[in-house]
Amino acid sequence: MQYVVIDLEWNNAYSKKTSGFVNEIIEIGAVKIDEGLNTVDTFSCIVRSQIGRKLRGSVKKLTHLTNDDISTGVPFTKAFSLFRKWMGEDDTVIMSWGDGDIRALLENYSYFCGVETVPFLKYYCDLQKYFQRIKKRRADQQAGLITAAQEIGIDPEIYTHHRALGDSMLTADIFEIIYDENSFKKEVRVCNDEFYSRLLFKAKILKNIDNPLIDKKRLEHYCDSCGARCELTEPWRFSCNFFRASFYCKNCDTAYAVKVRFKKLYDSVDFKKIVTVVNNDPDDEEDDEE
Ligand SMILES: [Zn+2]
């Protein structure tokens, strides 16, 4: 088993062929790491743009790549055939910081090669997720590459940011520090059909209160002070992603404004509840998050 950290730069380009925007890959950077966690080789390649002739201003600024660079690079299929040769035939876990690059890969393979999978992807690990899990960060507290590096004592200034090779080297160094055999094994995904449907799944906010996925118990409210079940005084209505209602506790003479959000994920429903005590005294409001 070997590990390859991959980082891609892309340019959002308009395609006449599909009448839509494509995140066209313009640079590949990668680091190969052996089983003993030694960096053994690096790969770097500028990809010739075929959809967008010009780089977006934001991409130019971020990467310092020029329109000349991307017009003289290697075409997509050639670039990735070079990458696959470099990667070798061994069982490889491909890794990236967040799965955005893997989505872009999938989009580019579909556009240029007409395939719906990434041919060299057998095992995959999202290192941002792995970092989040071992650092016990909440799902909505994603750490950027720089933040993560600083948190574990790596000076990110010694790498070239927002260029594929620099970012992949920084990611590789983070991996070598946080790697732990047991916890890492659990984060490696086999890239089968389920992997791709998960990757392409789009989370959706539930807007209909009668949706069977909504657990009706979540629509009750118990008083924060005495624990008694509160009376619903204003029925649930939906606005700005949340269902909102008012509750009242007779014991404590306290009114609550409650809002709840249900988000359908691939195989679960994410739940968020925000409770505000509504008092006559406007200085005495508090926010409570569950
Ligand atoms: Zn109460």
Side-chain angles (χ1 to χ4, degrees):
M1 187 68 86
Q2 64 172 5
Y3 310 100
V4 166
V5 173
I6 191 166
D7 186 86
L8 306 169
E9 302 302 326
W10 13 286
N11 182 44
N12 192 247
Y14 185 77
S15 158
K16 281 185 188 155
K17 189 172 108 183
T18 59
S19 307
F21 284 91
V22 177
N23 287 323
E24 185 175 21
I25 293 170
I26 51 169
E27 193 181 33
I28 312 166
V31 176
K32 197 191 280 182
I33 299 160
D34 69 12
E35 224 156 0
L37 299 186
N38 306 297
T39 296
V40 287
D41 204 2
T42 60
F43 179 89
S44 174
C45 179
I46 289 178
V47 183
R48 183 191 302 169
S49 65
Q50 297 169 77
I51 308 171
R53 294 284 153 83
K54 283 183 178 165
L55 287 172
R56 291 192 163 250
S58 57
V59 178
K60 261 193 222 167
K61 230 179 176 174
L62 207 65
T63 61
H64 298 293
L65 282 165
T66 65
N67 291 330
D68 269 355
D69 289 332
I70 58 161
S71 63
T72 53
V74 183
F76 178 85
T77 43
K78 174 82 180 157
F80 274 94
S81 113
L82 290 171
F83 171 80
R84 289 173 72 175
K85 260 189 210 129
W86 170 83
M87 188 179 112
E89 296 298 320
D90 295 320
D91 271 355
T92 304
V93 181
I94 299 281
M95 309 186 288
S96 60
W97 194 261
D99 59 15
D101 283 348
I102 301 303
R103 289 166 203 273
L105 256 180
L106 201 55
E107 196 182 359
N108 282 248
Y109 261 106
S110 165
Y111 189 93
F112 291 113
C113 309
V115 293
E116 299 310 317
T117 57
V118 177
F120 58 84
L121 203 59
K122 208 166 160 188
Y123 302 102
Y124 172 71
C125 176
D126 177 345
L127 288 176
Q128 188 181 42
K129 245 187 207 156
Y130 179 49
F131 180 83
Q132 209 160 314
R133 184 149 311 179
I134 57 172
K135 294 288 171 191
K136 299 193 168 56
R137 284 168 166 261
R138 285 205 331 247
D140 56 349
Q141 291 180 316
Q142 287 183 342
L145 200 51
I146 307 290
T147 311
Q150 285 164 339
E151 209 177 301
I152 57 172
I154 296 176
D155 176 11
E157 294 309 316
I158 59 175
Y159 305 82
T160 317
H161 297 316
H162 302 302
R163 284 300 295 272
L165 185 59
D167 282 351
S168 62
M169 284 164 71
L170 178 54
T171 309
D173 285 354
I174 292 175
F175 166 69
E176 288 168 16
I177 289 178
I178 64 175
Y179 175 87
D180 158 76
E181 195 183 342
N182 284 323
S183 60
F184 182 74
K185 248 192 256 163
K186 291 181 201 150
E187 286 302 308
V188 175
R189 300 283 167 265
V190 179
C191 303
N192 52 17
D193 289 350
E194 197 207 329
F195 170 82
Y196 285 105
S197 37
R198 230 175 235 281
L199 189 70
L200 297 173
F201 182 83
K202 286 190 177 74
K204 232 174 30 200
I205 300 284
L206 302 181
K207 295 177 178 172
N208 182 352
I209 201 128
D210 296 322
N211 192 312
L213 290 170
I214 291 182
D215 179 358
K216 294 291 177 289
K217 284 201 187 83
R218 301 280 205 188
L219 299 176
E220 293 170 1
H221 182 63
Y222 292 84
C223 177
D224 293 338
S225 308
C226 72
R229 186 170 164 180
C230 296
E231 184 190 324
L232 182 71
T233 52
E234 226 180 89
W236 292 102
R237 59 186 181 86
F238 183 83
S239 83
C240 301
N241 293 336
F242 280 86
F243 293 105
R244 296 148 197 269
S246 300
F247 286 87
Y248 179 68
C249 175
K250 283 182 213 159
N251 300 343
C252 309
D253 186 27
T254 305
Y256 294 99
V258 176
K259 54 179 191 172
V260 289
R261 189 193 67 190
F262 298 90
K263 203 199 266 173
K264 170 79 182 85
L265 307 178
Y266 184 79
D267 47 16
S268 62
V269 176
D270 175 69
F271 175 68
K272 186 173 184 177
K273 179 177 184 178
I274 296 170
V275 178
T276 311
V277 176
V278 188
N279 271 345
N280 293 332
D281 180 358
D283 292 335
D284 206 25
E285 282 194 11
E286 60 177 289
D287 257 351
D288 214 356
E289 212 167 298
E290 187 180 288

